[in-house]
Amino acid sequence: MRRIRYERSGGPEVLELESAETPTPGPGELLVKVHAIGVTLPVVRKVREQREPIPLGGEIAGEVIAVGDGVTDFAPGYRVTGLCFGHGYAEYALLRQEMVSSIPDGASAIDAVALVRSGLIALGALDAAKPESGESALVTAAASGVGHLAVQLARVRGAKRVVAAVSDPAKGEFLRELGADEVVVYGEPWGEPVDYVLDAVGGELLGPALAALAPGGRLVAYSSGGGIIQAFDLLTGAKAVIGFQMARVAREMPEVYEHWRQELWQYFASGQVRPVVHGEFALEDAAAAHALIEARANHGKVVLVP
């Protein structure tokens, strides 16, 4: 089979196509013929920053080819999606059965990688904010794979005003079509305060995100970008900062994880949430997909199609 690997950290140019043995599923594992791979900013960052090369994992979707001992809920021929912790940028990949869900009729593998993992993060961050009907929301990195779903989910969950924050004003039309009332640009005024912020950027944007909150507002931080907040800035407006990590939910609250998955598919089936794919790239064009993410030029999800 073919897969993508890298041997040194760096930009997209370090990604290489190689031939490898098709893996064999062990106990509790499924072997999946991969039809779609979701490209995410955390994986792109790992390629650039990780000292030692790691397998390029992440969200995949495809058809089950074989199962290992102990797998009872899935069989060859099932269409599934899940999070791969090994080599996911490949024609065949292994999934742990606890990280797998079926793709419903009427949805494609590309729909699955655009919706499920990114939607789980968006929905989890939204739940962490404990939104109430009629509140206002601001979403940073709003045109990203996660952000464009968060904009839609905030509206579905009752937000009366949704503000989309982006790096480039050219993304404004895309986000307004998805339901954003306002589009603001980093480094410029963000308008009237909001009740909660879902922040996927971190770093220097944490300060403006906190300042965008009305008194008593909540900032949900789910970025790997770091950043520092001064306690005084919390005290003056009785504001709160909440950290959200999907891995913890998947590991410690599987029933919540599964509930969110089912909720996302219901929103998809009803047309309330529409995952958007910016581009579909061949496996050998993984470097171009990573470059698009690094440039923050994507409008929605970026997908590899082996």
Side-chain angles (χ1 to χ4, degrees), residues 75-134:
Y78 279 44
R79 296 191 313 131
V80 299
T81 185
L83 189 61
C84 176
F85 295 102
H87 288 280
Y89 281 34
E91 292 178 313
Y92 294 87
L94 296 174
L95 292 175
R96 295 289 309 170
Q97 65 173 337
E98 61 268 21
M99 301 304 297
V100 175
S101 62
S102 296
I103 301 174
D105 293 340
S108 69
I110 292 174
D111 290 330
V113 296
L115 176 73
V116 178
R117 183 65 180 176
S118 295
L120 284 169
I121 295 170
L123 192 54
L126 184 60
D127 264 14
K130 293 182 169 53
E132 297 183 6
S133 182

Side-chain angles (χ1 to χ4, degrees), residues 28 69 82 100 135 260:
D69 292 341
V100 175
E135 289 191 318
W260 286 341

